[in-house]
Amino acid sequence: NVDKYLFGRVPDYTIELTKKGHEQAREAGKRLKELVKEESIYFYVSPFWRARSTFEEVASAFPRAQFDYSEEPRLREQEWGYLRCDEEFDAICHERRNCGTFYYRIPGGEAGSDVYDRMNDLLGSLYRDFSDKGFPANCVLVTHGLTIRLFIMRFFHLSVEEFERMTAPKNCDRVILELQESGHYRFITEMTYSKETLRYSRPIKLKQ
């Protein structure tokens, strides 16, 4: 996040954490350890290098026998297409804000709706994994800001307008879903929402 133009010069997946990013990830690991204590844990990790480094720092808070992990390409961040100059990047960002993050397809890259489809597919895989009696007590997805919001949108069946108003978590924030005795998940993290009026918004109105 230090240089928003960096992935105009190098592939997005190769961007690494800053020194501060490593520190934030280690602190996140300590907070996660306090939450799960001695319970078993499984990590699904985005293949982007900054996510891998985040996982490595988080995992350092746990003894190796307590966790297992796998790389999950569907958790990658929205694809921004090919390398491009700063001016072109700024123009795309402007168009994306005007059209909406969910629908706007980045030239050579993805729309938010494409990432949503990935999250829909991922959920099917997760629930198959969860059905295994030997699956660990806790599951952690190490991923990216937009991907997190689209995962939440899909999991809780939010509208496009609700997604567009949702602001991104801060770096290394925890977004927690807690399994209830009913078998349903309770969303215990309070997300923040923008107060700005969406340019395009049309709620569903049903006749009585």
Side-chain angles (χ1 to χ4, degrees), residues 136-161:
N138 300 277
C139 171
V140 174
L141 309 181
V142 183
T143 184
H144 310 269
L146 182 72
T147 311
I148 291 171
R149 285 181 285 160
L150 287 162
F151 181 90
I152 293 169
M153 176 188 175
R154 171 60 188 86
F155 197 95
F156 291 105
H157 304 285
L158 303 182
S159 69
V160 173
E161 284 81 6

PDB file of all heavy atoms in Angstrom, residues 136-161:
ATOM      1  N   PRO A 136      -9.421 -29.671  11.183  1.00  0.00           N
ATOM      2  CA  PRO A 136      -9.101 -28.906  12.397  1.00  0.00           C
ATOM      3  C   PRO A 136     -10.267 -28.072  12.915  1.00  0.00           C
ATOM      4  O   PRO A 136     -11.242 -27.808  12.203  1.00  0.00           O
ATOM      5  CB  PRO A 136      -7.939 -28.012  11.934  1.00  0.00           C
ATOM      6  CG  PRO A 136      -7.295 -28.787  10.837  1.00  0.00           C
ATOM      7  CD  PRO A 136      -8.429 -29.466  10.118  1.00  0.00           C
ATOM      8  N   ALA A 137     -10.149 -27.632  14.169  1.00  0.00           N
ATOM      9  CA  ALA A 137     -11.230 -26.897  14.838  1.00  0.00           C
ATOM     10  C   ALA A 137     -11.389 -25.485  14.300  1.00  0.00           C
ATOM     11  O   ALA A 137     -12.455 -24.877  14.455  1.00  0.00           O
ATOM     12  CB  ALA A 137     -10.962 -26.850  16.342  1.00  0.00           C
ATOM     13  N   ASN A 138     -10.351 -24.928  13.684  1.00  0.00           N
ATOM     14  CA  ASN A 138     -10.383 -23.550  13.191  1.00  0.00           C
ATOM     15  C   ASN A 138      -9.861 -23.489  11.765  1.00  0.00           C
ATOM     16  O   ASN A 138      -8.965 -24.240  11.387  1.00  0.00           O
ATOM     17  CB  ASN A 138      -9.517 -22.645  14.078  1.00  0.00           C
ATOM     18  CG  ASN A 138      -9.995 -22.619  15.502  1.00  0.00           C
ATOM     19  OD1 ASN A 138     -10.905 -21.888  15.852  1.00  0.00           O
ATOM     20  ND2 ASN A 138      -9.373 -23.440  16.361  1.00  0.00           N
ATOM     21  N   CYS A 139     -10.430 -22.565  10.994  1.00  0.00           N
ATOM     22  CA  CYS A 139     -10.022 -22.368   9.602  1.00  0.00           C
ATOM     23  C   CYS A 139      -9.702 -20.889   9.398  1.00  0.00           C
ATOM     24  O   CYS A 139     -10.479 -20.022   9.800  1.00  0.00           O
ATOM     25  CB  CYS A 139     -11.149 -22.799   8.670  1.00  0.00           C
ATOM     26  SG  CYS A 139     -10.888 -22.376   6.935  1.00  0.00           S
ATOM     27  N   VAL A 140      -8.572 -20.600   8.765  1.00  0.00           N
ATOM     28  CA  VAL A 140      -8.167 -19.219   8.502  1.00  0.00           C
ATOM     29  C   VAL A 140      -7.887 -19.059   7.012  1.00  0.00           C
ATOM     30  O   VAL A 140      -7.166 -19.856   6.412  1.00  0.00           O
ATOM     31  CB  VAL A 140      -6.907 -18.840   9.313  1.00  0.00           C
ATOM     32  CG1 VAL A 140      -6.412 -17.443   8.903  1.00  0.00           C
ATOM     33  CG2 VAL A 140      -7.193 -18.875  10.800  1.00  0.00           C
ATOM     34  N   LEU A 141      -8.474 -18.021   6.419  1.00  0.00           N
ATOM     35  CA  LEU A 141      -8.187 -17.667   5.029  1.00  0.00           C
ATOM     36  C   LEU A 141      -7.234 -16.465   5.042  1.00  0.00           C
ATOM     37  O   LEU A 141      -7.580 -15.409   5.569  1.00  0.00           O
ATOM     38  CB  LEU A 141      -9.471 -17.290   4.291  1.00  0.00           C
ATOM     39  CG  LEU A 141     -10.647 -18.267   4.394  1.00  0.00           C
ATOM     40  CD1 LEU A 141     -11.828 -17.739   3.574  1.00  0.00           C
ATOM     41  CD2 LEU A 141     -10.257 -19.655   3.932  1.00  0.00           C
ATOM     42  N   VAL A 142      -6.058 -16.628   4.478  1.00  0.00           N
ATOM     43  CA  VAL A 142      -5.090 -15.535   4.386  1.00  0.00           C
ATOM     44  C   VAL A 142      -5.222 -14.957   2.981  1.00  0.00           C
ATOM     45  O   VAL A 142      -4.750 -15.544   2.003  1.00  0.00           O
ATOM     46  CB  VAL A 142      -3.655 -16.020   4.649  1.00  0.00           C
ATOM     47  CG1 VAL A 142      -2.682 -14.835   4.614  1.00  0.00           C
ATOM     48  CG2 VAL A 142      -3.567 -16.734   5.990  1.00  0.00           C
ATOM     49  N   THR A 143      -5.866 -13.805   2.887  1.00  0.00           N
ATOM     50  CA  THR A 143      -6.219 -13.288   1.565  1.00  0.00           C
ATOM     51  C   THR A 143      -6.160 -11.760   1.547  1.00  0.00           C
ATOM     52  O   THR A 143      -5.421 -11.161   2.340  1.00  0.00           O
ATOM     53  CB  THR A 143      -7.608 -13.846   1.145  1.00  0.00           C
ATOM     54  OG1 THR A 143      -7.901 -13.418  -0.174  1.00  0.00           O
ATOM     55  CG2 THR A 143      -8.712 -13.443   2.101  1.00  0.00           C
ATOM     56  N   HIS A 144      -6.932 -11.121   0.673  1.00  0.00           N
ATOM     57  CA  HIS A 144      -6.787  -9.699   0.373  1.00  0.00           C
ATOM     58  C   HIS A 144      -8.099  -8.950   0.617  1.00  0.00           C
ATOM     59  O   HIS A 144      -9.171  -9.556   0.695  1.00  0.00           O
ATOM     60  CB  HIS A 144      -6.345  -9.536  -1.082  1.00  0.00           C
ATOM     61  CG  HIS A 144      -5.167 -10.398  -1.439  1.00  0.00           C
ATOM     62  ND1 HIS A 144      -3.865  -9.973  -1.325  1.00  0.00           N
ATOM     63  CD2 HIS A 144      -5.103 -11.691  -1.879  1.00  0.00           C
ATOM     64  CE1 HIS A 144      -3.040 -10.957  -1.691  1.00  0.00           C
ATOM     65  NE2 HIS A 144      -3.774 -12.006  -2.034  1.00  0.00           N
ATOM     66  N   GLY A 145      -7.986  -7.607   0.692  1.00  0.00           N
ATOM     67  CA  GLY A 145      -9.117  -6.782   1.109  1.00  0.00           C
ATOM     68  C   GLY A 145     -10.385  -6.953   0.294  1.00  0.00           C
ATOM     69  O   GLY A 145     -11.466  -7.188   0.837  1.00  0.00           O
ATOM     70  N   LEU A 146     -10.286  -6.834  -1.027  1.00  0.00           N
ATOM     71  CA  LEU A 146     -11.475  -6.956  -1.861  1.00  0.00           C
ATOM     72  C   LEU A 146     -12.024  -8.383  -1.804  1.00  0.00           C
ATOM     73  O   LEU A 146     -13.235  -8.599  -1.743  1.00  0.00           O
ATOM     74  CB  LEU A 146     -11.158  -6.577  -3.305  1.00  0.00           C
ATOM     75  CG  LEU A 146     -12.363  -6.628  -4.251  1.00  0.00           C
ATOM     76  CD1 LEU A 146     -13.315  -5.469  -3.970  1.00  0.00           C
ATOM     77  CD2 LEU A 146     -11.921  -6.617  -5.707  1.00  0.00           C
ATOM     78  N   THR A 147     -11.121  -9.359  -1.796  1.00  0.00           N
ATOM     79  CA  THR A 147     -11.534 -10.750  -1.738  1.00  0.00           C
ATOM     80  C   THR A 147     -12.296 -11.036  -0.447  1.00  0.00           C
ATOM     81  O   THR A 147     -13.292 -11.768  -0.449  1.00  0.00           O
ATOM     82  CB  THR A 147     -10.308 -11.678  -1.851  1.00  0.00           C
ATOM     83  OG1 THR A 147      -9.499 -11.263  -2.958  1.00  0.00           O
ATOM     84  CG2 THR A 147     -10.722 -13.116  -2.047  1.00  0.00           C
ATOM     85  N   ILE A 148     -11.851 -10.452   0.653  1.00  0.00           N
ATOM     86  CA  ILE A 148     -12.546 -10.618   1.934  1.00  0.00           C
ATOM     87  C   ILE A 148     -13.972 -10.101   1.840  1.00  0.00           C
ATOM     88  O   ILE A 148     -14.934 -10.765   2.244  1.00  0.00           O
ATOM     89  CB  ILE A 148     -11.790  -9.889   3.058  1.00  0.00           C
ATOM     90  CG1 ILE A 148     -10.468 -10.597   3.348  1.00  0.00           C
ATOM     91  CG2 ILE A 148     -12.647  -9.808   4.331  1.00  0.00           C
ATOM     92  CD1 ILE A 148      -9.567  -9.832   4.295  1.00  0.00           C
ATOM     93  N   ARG A 149     -14.133  -8.892   1.289  1.00  0.00           N
ATOM     94  CA  ARG A 149     -15.472  -8.301   1.203  1.00  0.00           C
ATOM     95  C   ARG A 149     -16.392  -9.124   0.308  1.00  0.00           C
ATOM     96  O   ARG A 149     -17.583  -9.300   0.605  1.00  0.00           O
ATOM     97  CB  ARG A 149     -15.373  -6.863   0.698  1.00  0.00           C
ATOM     98  CG  ARG A 149     -14.854  -5.894   1.749  1.00  0.00           C
ATOM     99  CD  ARG A 149     -14.804  -4.479   1.215  1.00  0.00           C
ATOM    100  NE  ARG A 149     -13.695  -4.296   0.296  1.00  0.00           N
ATOM    101  CZ  ARG A 149     -13.612  -3.329  -0.605  1.00  0.00           C
ATOM    102  NH1 ARG A 149     -14.619  -2.474  -0.740  1.00  0.00           N
ATOM    103  NH2 ARG A 149     -12.563  -3.205  -1.377  1.00  0.00           N
ATOM    104  N   LEU A 150     -15.856  -9.664  -0.776  1.00  0.00           N
ATOM    105  CA  LEU A 150     -16.681 -10.464  -1.680  1.00  0.00           C
ATOM    106  C   LEU A 150     -16.996 -11.829  -1.079  1.00  0.00           C
ATOM    107  O   LEU A 150     -18.065 -12.394  -1.327  1.00  0.00           O
ATOM    108  CB  LEU A 150     -15.988 -10.597  -3.032  1.00  0.00           C
ATOM    109  CG  LEU A 150     -16.030  -9.291  -3.843  1.00  0.00           C
ATOM    110  CD1 LEU A 150     -14.981  -9.294  -4.943  1.00  0.00           C
ATOM    111  CD2 LEU A 150     -17.416  -9.064  -4.427  1.00  0.00           C
ATOM    112  N   PHE A 151     -16.095 -12.356  -0.270  1.00  0.00           N
ATOM    113  CA  PHE A 151     -16.386 -13.589   0.461  1.00  0.00           C
ATOM    114  C   PHE A 151     -17.546 -13.352   1.426  1.00  0.00           C
ATOM    115  O   PHE A 151     -18.484 -14.164   1.504  1.00  0.00           O
ATOM    116  CB  PHE A 151     -15.149 -14.062   1.222  1.00  0.00           C
ATOM    117  CG  PHE A 151     -15.360 -15.349   1.984  1.00  0.00           C
ATOM    118  CD1 PHE A 151     -15.117 -16.573   1.382  1.00  0.00           C
ATOM    119  CD2 PHE A 151     -15.809 -15.329   3.293  1.00  0.00           C
ATOM    120  CE1 PHE A 151     -15.320 -17.761   2.084  1.00  0.00           C
ATOM    121  CE2 PHE A 151     -16.019 -16.506   4.002  1.00  0.00           C
ATOM    122  CZ  PHE A 151     -15.771 -17.729   3.397  1.00  0.00           C
ATOM    123  N   ILE A 152     -17.503 -12.247   2.162  1.00  0.00           N
ATOM    124  CA  ILE A 152     -18.579 -11.905   3.099  1.00  0.00           C
ATOM    125  C   ILE A 152     -19.891 -11.700   2.351  1.00  0.00           C
ATOM    126  O   ILE A 152     -20.959 -12.169   2.780  1.00  0.00           O
ATOM    127  CB  ILE A 152     -18.206 -10.639   3.894  1.00  0.00           C
ATOM    128  CG1 ILE A 152     -17.025 -10.931   4.810  1.00  0.00           C
ATOM    129  CG2 ILE A 152     -19.404 -10.129   4.712  1.00  0.00           C
ATOM    130  CD1 ILE A 152     -16.418  -9.691   5.438  1.00  0.00           C
ATOM    131  N   MET A 153     -19.822 -10.996   1.234  1.00  0.00           N
ATOM    132  CA  MET A 153     -21.021 -10.765   0.430  1.00  0.00           C
ATOM    133  C   MET A 153     -21.668 -12.087   0.031  1.00  0.00           C
ATOM    134  O   MET A 153     -22.888 -12.273   0.176  1.00  0.00           O
ATOM    135  CB  MET A 153     -20.650  -9.965  -0.821  1.00  0.00           C
ATOM    136  CG  MET A 153     -21.811  -9.742  -1.781  1.00  0.00           C
ATOM    137  SD  MET A 153     -21.235  -9.000  -3.333  1.00  0.00           S
ATOM    138  CE  MET A 153     -22.752  -9.007  -4.287  1.00  0.00           C
ATOM    139  N   ARG A 154     -20.853 -13.020  -0.458  1.00  0.00           N
ATOM    140  CA  ARG A 154     -21.393 -14.315  -0.891  1.00  0.00           C
ATOM    141  C   ARG A 154     -21.891 -15.139   0.293  1.00  0.00           C
ATOM    142  O   ARG A 154     -22.974 -15.731   0.231  1.00  0.00           O
ATOM    143  CB  ARG A 154     -20.299 -15.095  -1.657  1.00  0.00           C
ATOM    144  CG  ARG A 154     -20.674 -16.543  -1.970  1.00  0.00           C
ATOM    145  CD  ARG A 154     -21.908 -16.636  -2.830  1.00  0.00           C
ATOM    146  NE  ARG A 154     -22.371 -18.010  -2.958  1.00  0.00           N
ATOM    147  CZ  ARG A 154     -23.184 -18.630  -2.112  1.00  0.00           C
ATOM    148  NH1 ARG A 154     -23.640 -17.999  -1.036  1.00  0.00           N
ATOM    149  NH2 ARG A 154     -23.549 -19.888  -2.331  1.00  0.00           N
ATOM    150  N   PHE A 155     -21.131 -15.182   1.370  1.00  0.00           N
ATOM    151  CA  PHE A 155     -21.468 -16.031   2.521  1.00  0.00           C
ATOM    152  C   PHE A 155     -22.780 -15.605   3.161  1.00  0.00           C
ATOM    153  O   PHE A 155     -23.596 -16.443   3.546  1.00  0.00           O
ATOM    154  CB  PHE A 155     -20.340 -15.974   3.554  1.00  0.00           C
ATOM    155  CG  PHE A 155     -20.386 -17.078   4.565  1.00  0.00           C
ATOM    156  CD1 PHE A 155     -19.648 -18.236   4.390  1.00  0.00           C
ATOM    157  CD2 PHE A 155     -21.173 -16.975   5.702  1.00  0.00           C
ATOM    158  CE1 PHE A 155     -19.693 -19.261   5.314  1.00  0.00           C
ATOM    159  CE2 PHE A 155     -21.237 -17.989   6.630  1.00  0.00           C
ATOM    160  CZ  PHE A 155     -20.492 -19.146   6.440  1.00  0.00           C
ATOM    161  N   PHE A 156     -23.000 -14.280   3.258  1.00  0.00           N
ATOM    162  CA  PHE A 156     -24.190 -13.777   3.935  1.00  0.00           C
ATOM    163  C   PHE A 156     -25.250 -13.253   2.957  1.00  0.00           C
ATOM    164  O   PHE A 156     -26.196 -12.588   3.368  1.00  0.00           O
ATOM    165  CB  PHE A 156     -23.801 -12.689   4.935  1.00  0.00           C
ATOM    166  CG  PHE A 156     -23.032 -13.231   6.108  1.00  0.00           C
ATOM    167  CD1 PHE A 156     -21.662 -13.034   6.199  1.00  0.00           C
ATOM    168  CD2 PHE A 156     -23.664 -13.946   7.104  1.00  0.00           C
ATOM    169  CE1 PHE A 156     -20.939 -13.547   7.271  1.00  0.00           C
ATOM    170  CE2 PHE A 156     -22.957 -14.459   8.180  1.00  0.00           C
ATOM    171  CZ  PHE A 156     -21.590 -14.257   8.261  1.00  0.00           C
ATOM    172  N   HIS A 157     -25.062 -13.539   1.672  1.00  0.00           N
ATOM    173  CA  HIS A 157     -26.048 -13.189   0.650  1.00  0.00           C
ATOM    174  C   HIS A 157     -26.386 -11.689   0.678  1.00  0.00           C
ATOM    175  O   HIS A 157     -27.553 -11.301   0.643  1.00  0.00           O
ATOM    176  CB  HIS A 157     -27.328 -14.015   0.832  1.00  0.00           C
ATOM    177  CG  HIS A 157     -27.081 -15.497   0.832  1.00  0.00           C
ATOM    178  ND1 HIS A 157     -26.804 -16.196  -0.322  1.00  0.00           N
ATOM    179  CD2 HIS A 157     -27.046 -16.392   1.847  1.00  0.00           C
ATOM    180  CE1 HIS A 157     -26.628 -17.481  -0.019  1.00  0.00           C
ATOM    181  NE2 HIS A 157     -26.763 -17.623   1.282  1.00  0.00           N
ATOM    182  N   LEU A 158     -25.349 -10.852   0.742  1.00  0.00           N
ATOM    183  CA  LEU A 158     -25.553  -9.405   0.730  1.00  0.00           C
ATOM    184  C   LEU A 158     -25.837  -8.929  -0.688  1.00  0.00           C
ATOM    185  O   LEU A 158     -25.477  -9.580  -1.672  1.00  0.00           O
ATOM    186  CB  LEU A 158     -24.311  -8.693   1.274  1.00  0.00           C
ATOM    187  CG  LEU A 158     -23.859  -9.077   2.687  1.00  0.00           C
ATOM    188  CD1 LEU A 158     -22.644  -8.253   3.079  1.00  0.00           C
ATOM    189  CD2 LEU A 158     -24.970  -8.915   3.700  1.00  0.00           C
ATOM    190  N   SER A 159     -26.465  -7.767  -0.788  1.00  0.00           N
ATOM    191  CA  SER A 159     -26.737  -7.179  -2.101  1.00  0.00           C
ATOM    192  C   SER A 159     -25.476  -6.506  -2.644  1.00  0.00           C
ATOM    193  O   SER A 159     -24.513  -6.246  -1.912  1.00  0.00           O
ATOM    194  CB  SER A 159     -27.854  -6.143  -1.988  1.00  0.00           C
ATOM    195  OG  SER A 159     -27.406  -5.006  -1.261  1.00  0.00           O
ATOM    196  N   VAL A 160     -25.509  -6.197  -3.936  1.00  0.00           N
ATOM    197  CA  VAL A 160     -24.385  -5.490  -4.555  1.00  0.00           C
ATOM    198  C   VAL A 160     -24.187  -4.136  -3.875  1.00  0.00           C
ATOM    199  O   VAL A 160     -23.059  -3.699  -3.624  1.00  0.00           O
ATOM    200  CB  VAL A 160     -24.614  -5.314  -6.070  1.00  0.00           C
ATOM    201  CG1 VAL A 160     -23.534  -4.420  -6.680  1.00  0.00           C
ATOM    202  CG2 VAL A 160     -24.634  -6.663  -6.764  1.00  0.00           C
ATOM    203  N   GLU A 161     -25.309  -3.450  -3.569  1.00  0.00           N
ATOM    204  CA  GLU A 161     -25.209  -2.126  -2.935  1.00  0.00           C
ATOM    205  C   GLU A 161     -24.564  -2.227  -1.547  1.00  0.00           C
ATOM    206  O   GLU A 161     -23.756  -1.375  -1.166  1.00  0.00           O
ATOM    207  CB  GLU A 161     -26.591  -1.484  -2.824  1.00  0.00           C
ATOM    208  CG  GLU A 161     -27.133  -0.929  -4.138  1.00  0.00           C
ATOM    209  CD  GLU A 161     -27.752  -2.005  -5.017  1.00  0.00           C
ATOM    210  OE1 GLU A 161     -27.869  -3.162  -4.553  1.00  0.00           O
ATOM    211  OE2 GLU A 161     -28.117  -1.695  -6.153  1.00  0.00           O
TER     212      GLU A 161
END
